[in-house]
Amino acid sequence: TCALPIWVKAFQAVVDRYPDSSRASDAMYMISFEYQKLKENAKAVAAYQAFVKQNPDHENTSKAKTRIAELRPAVATKNAKKK
């Protein structure tokens, strides 16, 4: 696990302060994407799932669902290695 970049914290601040705004939806997606870039796949999947649940009609929902499907095998493999 690595330290979160400052922009991930900034995106989270938008979500926390303005949860009902369209910017919060965009920020949620970006948080998910940043976790993916950091190879924090389990966190990315959880964040994408939260995004999809809260934003079923967002323009990035289909992308998020695709990314979840792509990342799940890596998360499952990593979890299997821990056992």
Side-chain angles (χ1 to χ4, degrees):
T1 304
C2 55
L4 289 178
I6 190 74
W7 56 86
V8 174
K9 294 175 184 175
F11 291 140
Q12 188 61 54
V14 171
V15 173
D16 294 343
R17 289 188 187 123
Y18 310 102
D20 297 324
S21 78
S22 63
R23 296 286 184 216
S25 299
D26 295 337
M28 284 183 74
Y29 183 82
M30 291 307 300
I31 290 167
S32 307
F33 185 71
E34 290 300 326
Y35 276 132
Q36 184 177 357
K37 282 179 25 184
L38 293 168
K39 306 270 190 251
E40 293 282 348
N41 294 335
K43 290 180 181 180
V45 168
Y48 280 127
Q49 288 173 327
F51 169 81
V52 168
K53 183 177 180 180
Q54 290 185 307
N55 302 283
D57 299 321
H58 192 277
E59 64 186 270
N60 287 326
T61 297
S62 64
K63 279 189 212 175
K65 288 178 179 179
T66 299
R67 291 180 191 270
I68 291 167
E70 292 170 351
L71 292 171
R72 273 198 177 134
V75 172
T77 300
K78 188 173 181 179
N79 288 340
K81 288 180 181 178
K82 287 182 181 179
K83 292 181 181 181

